Amino acid sequence: MSKPVDSQRRAWIAAAACMLAAGGLPSPVLAAEPIKVGVVLEMSGPFADIGRQILNGARAYMKAHGDVVAGRKIELIVKDTTGMAPEVAKRQAQELLTINEVDFLAGFGLTPNALSVAPLATEAKKPMIVMNAATTIISSRSPYIARVSMTLPQVTAPLATWALANGIKQVYTLVADYGPGIDAETQFKKTFTAGGGQIVGSVRTPANSPDFGPALRHIKDEKPQAVFIFLPQGGQPVAFMKGFAERELDKAGIKLIATGDVTEDSLIEAMGNAPLGVVTTHHYSVAHDSAENREFLKAYAEIGPGRPNFMAVGGWDGMAAIYQVVAKLGGKMDGDRAMEVLKGMKIDSPRGPLTIDPATRDPVQTVYVRRVEKLKDGKLYNVEFDQVPNFKDPGK
Ligand code: PHB
């Protein structure tokens, strides 16, 4: 029996003979190193649904568009932060930069994870593509950050405006007690009170594993006209909706309004009929009618089970941004030149048109006003009925 090294050598000679017979030397495409994208995501723990959605969105983009750009293969290297764990995220990003020598950092479902990595992107001069984390300050923490998702003030302000125009004058706010929740609460109060609305109470619930029982009891006693909420996508909105219906706040005449994180497309299926009629504002709905969204939904169906949501769109658009950078730089990576390409970049997103603001590196996009309805297939959807086009983050 021949040794493995002999069989390897034979395989190499056979491959070389084939290439010579085909009339060429190995092409630079095969010789070039891959472009490495270090993806830092919440793949396990209580926020695992966020990581799964973002990664599936990124993979769907690569499946639909191929994995070679400007002659360079695009490779994802995925690290699992295991949850809201800024120290873990930081260590993983450090490893990706120093051991794997990645060309891009990407991912980041949760704000604390993105914030801890920002200084490393600056130090390494590597572009950091934020695919979800949505607290407004994130992009100001490094000139190497570009965000393709949203900011909470951006998706919240239009809801306060809608509420005022639709006879809602008194609101109680409930938000998760960390960056994006505080941003949502601050912006809601600002826009709502500036238009003559009154905030009758506010509560912040723990960022991790909250119990909504006491807050729901209190709000029911207070009887506000409406409750505005922001909770991070995942188990928390499901638990809140269940509590809201069980404690019959809806029957007590209390309306629920929220950012689209709460009625997002994938877990809404686990909420029964409780979200029916809830009005939210957000940048993406699976029910959005466009050729780009149909292409996205088709590609996603080939990758992951269940419906995609706005997180998956963040993963998809983040890869669209990376592909555009690699193409524009002709496959020759340079962090500063990459940032110049990202500033002002336009993406035909499944959500609608998206531009990366050259000044803030945050998304400028349409924010839609939607209502949860049951469509002909018997399933719940966020049906868009109004919109604010080209809307910038008002939180800056
Ligand atoms: C965030 O941590 O920035 C975050 C997480 C989940 C969301 C929105 C924002 O749905």
Side-chain angles (χ1 to χ4, degrees), residues 323-353:
Y323 275 39
Q324 274 200 49
V325 168
V326 177
K328 289 245 166 69
L329 299 186
K332 293 188 186 65
M333 281 309 298
D334 172 272
D336 291 306
R337 291 184 61 217
M339 294 317 297
E340 288 316 308
V341 176
L342 284 160
K343 289 178 198 167
M345 179 183 280
K346 291 192 184 312
I347 297 173
D348 291 324
S349 166
R351 72 188 88 176

Side-chain angles (χ1 to χ4, degrees), residues 154-159 281-284 365-370 386-392:
Q154 182 181 44
V155 296
T156 300
L159 184 63
T281 38
H282 227 212
H283 54 302
Y284 176 72
Q365 58 191 330
T366 305
V367 177
Y368 303 88
V369 190
R370 315 96 48 85
D386 203 355
Q387 53 179 266
V388 188
N390 275 319
F391 196 55
K392 280 191 188 185

Side-chain angles (χ1 to χ4, degrees), residues 168-174 185 188-189 192-193 196-203 218-228 254-255:
I168 297 176
K169 298 286 176 231
Q170 292 171 325
V171 168
Y172 199 107
T173 67
L174 179 148
E185 182 196 278
F188 191 90
K189 284 182 174 171
F192 195 62
T193 55
Q198 189 193 356
I199 299 294
V200 294
S202 292
V203 61
H218 179 68
I219 293 169
K220 193 175 178 187
D221 291 344
E222 290 286 312
K223 275 204 175 48
Q225 219 181 340
V227 193
F228 161 71
I254 301 169
K255 288 195 183 72

Side-chain angles (χ1 to χ4, degrees), residues 47 50 84 109-112 132-135 138 150 152 178 180 230-234 261 282 310-311:
F47 298 99
I50 292 180
M84 196 177 285
L110 297 174
T111 287
N132 178 62
T135 302
I138 292 173
M150 58 158 172
L152 259 303
Y178 78 118
F230 162 80
L231 294 168
Q233 187 251 300
D261 307 79
H282 227 212
F310 67 99
M311 297 277 180

